[in-house]
Amino acid sequence: MVKKSEFKEVEIKFNNNDLVIQLFGEHNGHLKKISKLLGVSINARGTTVKIEGDEASVKLSEKVLNELYGLLKEKYPIFPNDIDFAVRTLSSDSKTKLKDVFLDTVFVSTRKKAIAPKNPSQKKYIDAIRNHDVVFGIGPAGTGKTYLAVAMAVSALSKGLVNRIILTRPAVEAGEALGFLPGNLSEKVDPYLRPLYDALHDMLSYEKFAALMEKGIIEVAPLAFMRGRTLNDAFIILDEAQNTTSEQMKMFLTRIGFNSKAVITGDITQIDLPSSKKSGLIEAKKILSDIKGLKFVYYSKEDVVRHRLVMKIITAYEKESQS
């Protein structure tokens, strides 16, 4: 992560005991995590921290602690996962200001949970959604593509920027051949739309969500249901877009009406289409990249914001596919 260099030790003294308790974590858990991730020795005494190790790692550790302390001064609560995100972000670019990323709140859920980017790629993604009518978010699972898009949609609805939210994804390996499944239409398609429901439930109370669904203000439907429609004053999200065919992608993109935004998310390493079918997402990436008003944002495995093992799993599969 960091190049080895000469041995160095630094001492940092913080001046707010209440914030220091949060910064260090329970039983100094945050300091122990930074120590393990960056390979340095960190010892705390009162409000003072002493860091020892190779120069580059010590310098980065100092930066991480100071940036996290700055977040705490802005009343941003630090959780264990934030330590991982901070170390990963500053390891990639030590000039990054965590305030510029972590404090850009997209939406505050009914449980008072602030939804904000956790790394520069996520920050770039939400800025793209703010400034462009059509945005493609492409990258591996666990990078927050769908979750942040849903948060942006709910935020736009709450501010009156759009009149409705439409969430869609291709069902059953993009073929949408639902007839063989048991149950009515809703029972057939709901399992394939569940991740979209989960994101909405995380942001809205059950009562609010149910009321918006009943009024048609929020619509969650298979991609096939978009055909023949023109969607005005809407925030539209197409999830799992790697499993659209060329025809489906074109159909979706031409549904966008006036005062609407569309966000298309997908992972081109997890295509379930038959080998004879071309992915509409890959084709769109090739032929639409130069259109003004449209933006592509790419994530890498370093942007994964799930359990640390997810990034390692993605890396292992990448190596296997290249061997």
Side-chain angles (χ1 to χ4, degrees):
M1 184 179 291
V2 181
K3 291 183 179 179
K4 295 292 182 182
S5 53
E6 295 182 5
F7 179 84
K8 184 178 181 179
E9 61 180 62
V10 299
E11 193 171 274
I12 313 172
K13 185 171 179 60
F14 301 100
N15 55 21
N16 186 315
N17 188 63
D18 291 337
L19 296 185
V20 163
I21 291 171
Q22 298 176 61
L23 177 65
F24 292 0
E26 187 175 357
H27 305 301
N28 289 344
H30 294 168
L31 297 182
K32 291 174 183 176
K33 178 170 275 195
I34 294 170
S35 173
K36 182 178 180 181
L37 290 171
L38 295 178
V40 296
S41 171
I42 303 180
N43 295 295
R45 187 169 185 175
T47 60
T48 301
V49 170
K50 184 177 181 181
I51 311 172
E52 298 177 325
D54 73 89
E55 184 177 5
S57 297
V58 168
K59 187 175 180 181
L60 181 55
S61 301
E62 183 180 14
K63 173 74 172 176
V64 168
L65 285 169
N66 282 325
E67 287 287 320
L68 290 172
Y69 188 70
L71 289 175
L72 287 167
K73 288 197 289 186
E74 298 290 337
K75 304 187 184 306
Y76 181 94
I78 301 297
F79 297 100
N81 281 343
D82 291 318
I83 306 300
D84 291 303
F85 302 148
V87 168
R88 200 182 305 168
T89 294
L90 294 171
S91 296
S92 299
D93 183 0
S94 62
K95 295 180 181 179
T96 299
K97 300 292 184 184
L98 292 186
K99 287 182 183 180
D100 294 340
V101 178
F102 284 47
L103 297 183
D104 188 2
T105 301
V106 173
F107 184 72
V108 178
S109 72
T110 52
R111 295 194 294 272
K112 305 302 181 185
K113 175 186 175 184
I115 299 168
K118 295 295 186 181
N119 55 50
S121 294
Q122 289 194 345
K123 168 66 173 169
K124 182 179 179 182
Y125 182 55
I126 64 171
D127 284 342
I129 294 172
R130 287 178 179 132
N131 298 318
H132 297 80
D133 290 336
V134 179
V135 174
F136 288 80
I138 301 175
T143 49
K145 303 182 300 295
T146 302
Y147 191 80
L148 282 177
V150 172
M152 290 292 287
V154 175
S155 175
L157 182 67
S158 67
K159 294 174 182 176
L161 300 177
V162 295
N163 294 333
R164 54 183 172 156
I165 297 172
I166 299 172
L167 310 177
T168 185
R169 57 178 1 198
V172 194
E173 299 183 351
E176 299 171 17
L178 302 170
F180 70 93
L181 293 173
N184 59 33
L185 181 61
S186 177
E187 291 169 335
K188 291 174 189 287
V189 302
D190 275 0
Y192 302 97
L193 303 172
R194 180 53 51 189
L196 300 174
Y197 285 113
D198 289 344
L200 287 166
H201 287 151
D202 204 32
M203 297 168 204
L204 300 169
S205 67
Y206 176 80
E207 294 78 12
K208 180 73 170 176
F209 173 70
L212 292 173
M213 287 284 287
E214 185 176 352
K215 294 176 182 177
I217 295 173
I218 293 180
E219 179 182 348
V220 184
L223 180 58
F225 283 35
M226 299 299 107
R227 193 173 300 278
R229 303 174 63 182
T230 300
L231 306 173
N232 296 318
D233 301 304
F235 197 117
I236 316 151
I237 299 172
L238 170 57
D239 192 35
E240 295 290 322
Q242 74 276 6
N243 287 331
T244 61
T245 63
S246 175
E247 295 80 10
Q248 287 171 328
M249 178 61 77
K250 182 179 177 182
M251 178 274 291
F252 173 80
L253 292 174
T254 53
R255 299 306 94 202
I256 302 167
F258 295 108
N259 192 39
S260 287
K261 278 186 181 288
V263 180
I264 299 95
T265 70
D267 177 3
I268 57 177
T269 69
Q270 295 192 30
I271 296 172
D272 296 320
L273 289 167
S275 56
S276 59
K277 292 282 188 179
K278 185 187 298 183
S279 168
L281 181 59
I282 291 179
E283 183 181 65
K285 186 166 74 82
K286 290 178 180 177
I287 67 177
L288 301 178
S289 58
D290 294 330
I291 294 180
K292 290 183 178 180
L294 185 153
K295 182 74 172 178
F296 285 83
V297 178
Y298 297 96
Y299 290 89
S300 71
K301 60 180 180 290
E302 280 74 26
D303 297 315
V304 170
V305 292
R306 291 180 183 167
H307 194 288
R308 289 193 306 278
L309 280 174
V310 173
M311 187 169 66
K312 294 180 180 179
I313 290 168
I314 291 170
T315 301
Y317 273 97
E318 284 180 351
K319 287 181 180 178
E320 176 64 22
S321 66
Q322 293 167 2
S323 61

